[in-house]
């Protein structure tokens, strides 16, 4: 059944002081009547935003604070959290507990839709010679990728049980330009990412959806259909245009980062215990 595109009253952007938060803030300003920016208390919001959005600091690990943050929020672009492979204890508060806090607060607040910044590291253990769809088994490449898989599971649960829509974007390498040979497959350009997030916010009746976040790369590992079709996302850029510049920047041939899609994350871990926990040593 064809529906109408939602238009949100209050839109919340978490992780607003981070790299992608700053990049996306100007694009989000006209996506809702009010844009609320949030990040850890010690940080500052992105500057130069036309629509003078509100700033509300919040640690995602603090359940009560997240509950307050979500009050009156219709939709969320959830970028906040640990964005790199780290020991489990460091991933846990923001990416596991924080995602629970966010979805539970969204349920209580009557939030309609969450755009969850998932990651290609959910599928990072697939080989670089393999092509996958979002229906294939996940195969996370570390605790960070596993935390994103947990987030996708939370999104699925809260759609099936409570009717909160989610679009989980398995973002590839979101940089101004491809940075190495690997990113000729995984890159998403700034303008394609802006379009993808906009589509995820405005596409009607998304329910629970997982979509790869990349440009229309010639060397793509991920078959993005039919999620892109459902979202109406039509990427404009292809990393191939930068091939001559970065083709030679490669991992050591035969190494795990060279063989698997997750790249350098495959060289991180196992980690020594963070505290004096002799049993786990
Ligand atoms: P980033 O590390 O620059 O930004 C993440 C933000 O989350 C930071 O500003 C940080 O202060 C905030 N944050 C961390 N812990 C928090 C907590 N406990 N409470 C509240 N805020 C907290 O990361 P970036 O590159 O901007 O990525 C944004 C999102 O997109 C992340 O969730 C990341 O995992 C995801 N992503 C990014 C990709 C990329 O290429 N940049 C690729 C795939 C996924
Ligand atoms: C991610 O999930 C990270 O947040 C980002 O820093 C990059 O490492 C990106 O994946 C990537 O795989 O290139």
């Amino acid at each position: 059944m064809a529906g109408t595109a939602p238009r949100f009253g209050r839109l919340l952007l978490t992780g607003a002081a981070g790299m992608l938060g700053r990049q996306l803030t100007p694009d989000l300003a006209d996506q809702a009547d009010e844009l609320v920016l949030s990040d850890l208390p010690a940080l500052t919001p992105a500057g130069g935003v036309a629509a003078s959005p509100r700033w509300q600091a919040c640690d995602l690990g603090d359940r009560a604070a997240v509950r307050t943050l979500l009050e009156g929020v219709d939709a969320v672009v959830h970028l906040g959290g640990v964005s790199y492979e780290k020991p489990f204890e460091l991933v846990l508060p923001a990416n596991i507990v924080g995602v629970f806090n966010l979805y539970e607060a969204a349920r209580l607040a009557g939030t309609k839709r969450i755009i969850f910044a998932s990651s290609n590291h959910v599928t990072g253990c697939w080989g670089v010679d393999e092509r996958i769809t979002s229906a294939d088994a996940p195969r996370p490449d570390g605790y960070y990728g596993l935390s994103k898989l947990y987030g996708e599971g939370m999104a699925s649960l809260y759609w099936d049980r409570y009717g909160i829509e989610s679009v989980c974007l398995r973002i590839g390498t979101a940089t101004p330009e491809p940075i190495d040979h690997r990113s000729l497959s995984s890159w998403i350009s700034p303008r394609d990412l802006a379009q993808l997030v906009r589509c995820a916010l405005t596409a009607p009746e998304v329910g629970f959806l997982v979509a790869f976040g990349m440009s229309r790369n010639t060397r793509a590992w991920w078959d993005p259909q039919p999620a892109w079709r459902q979202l109406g996302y039509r990427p404009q850029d292809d990393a191939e245009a930068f091939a001559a510049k970065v083709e030679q920047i490669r991992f050591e041939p035969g190494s795990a980062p060279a063989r698997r899609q997750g790249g350098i994350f495959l060289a991180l871990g196992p980690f020594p215990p963070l505290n004096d926990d002799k049993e786990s040593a």
Side-chain angles (χ1 to χ4, degrees):
M1 190 178 69
T4 49
R7 163 81 194 179
F8 300 107
R10 184 179 294 172
L11 172 63
L12 168 67
L13 174 66
T14 68
M19 188 180 85
L20 298 187
R22 286 168 181 268
Q23 181 181 308
L24 286 167
T25 295
D27 298 304
L28 294 177
D30 63 357
Q31 293 297 306
D33 299 335
E34 182 187 22
L35 177 61
V36 178
L37 304 180
S38 183
D39 207 300
L40 284 168
L43 300 172
T44 52
V49 180
S52 60
R54 238 179 62 193
W55 170 252
Q56 199 169 337
C58 176
D59 185 334
L60 291 162
D62 180 340
R63 186 168 179 173
V66 176
R67 174 90 197 269
T68 304
L69 180 67
L70 267 286
E71 277 169 15
V73 168
D74 299 302
V76 183
V77 176
H78 183 51
L79 304 182
V82 171
S83 60
Y84 206 71
E85 176 62 353
K86 293 200 170 155
F88 178 72
E89 298 90 323
L90 299 183
V91 173
L92 179 67
N95 291 24
I96 304 280
V97 178
V99 167
F100 164 76
N101 288 343
L102 182 88
Y103 271 87
E104 188 52 11
R107 181 184 68 78
L108 293 166
T111 302
K112 296 176 188 71
R113 185 176 294 193
I114 297 177
I115 314 309
F116 173 62
S118 185
S119 170
N120 71 89
H121 294 283
V122 165
T123 52
C125 275
W126 285 91
V128 294
D129 52 354
E130 292 172 299
R131 301 288 172 271
I132 59 171
T133 75
S134 55
D136 281 308
R139 305 182 67 187
D141 59 26
Y143 304 117
Y144 165 72
L146 188 57
S147 76
K148 295 296 186 180
L149 182 58
Y150 170 83
E152 293 184 4
M154 185 64 77
S156 170
L157 173 66
Y158 274 63
W159 164 244
D160 283 334
R161 292 287 307 276
Y162 309 120
I164 298 177
E165 292 193 304
S166 283
V167 182
C168 301
L169 301 176
R170 286 184 183 168
I171 303 169
T173 303
T175 42
E177 291 185 2
I179 51 174
D180 55 13
H181 173 261
R182 171 180 179 266
S183 58
L184 294 175
S185 299
S186 61
W187 185 58
I188 181 164
S189 70
R191 68 174 171 173
D192 284 344
L193 180 63
Q195 185 203 151
L196 182 58
V197 171
R198 220 176 306 125
C199 289
L201 277 170
T202 57
E205 296 168 19
V206 290
F208 165 73
L209 190 67
V210 174
F212 287 106
M214 64 172 171
S215 289
R216 52 179 181 86
N217 300 329
T218 302
R219 305 188 195 191
W221 294 313
W222 313 313
D223 177 358
Q225 307 294 1
W228 285 8
R229 232 187 343 257
Q230 186 174 347
L231 293 175
Y233 170 59
R234 291 185 196 84
Q236 300 175 62
D237 297 306
D238 184 340
E240 209 56 27
F242 300 86
K245 203 166 161 187
V246 297
E247 180 86 62
Q248 299 311 320
I249 307 171
R250 293 172 181 247
F251 300 115
E252 192 188 331
S255 66
R259 285 186 286 109
R260 298 192 186 225
Q261 294 182 7
I264 195 63
F265 283 34
L266 273 302
L268 306 173
F271 302 99
L274 281 185
N275 45 33
D276 215 7
D277 181 0
K278 294 207 169 49
E279 270 186 35
S280 61

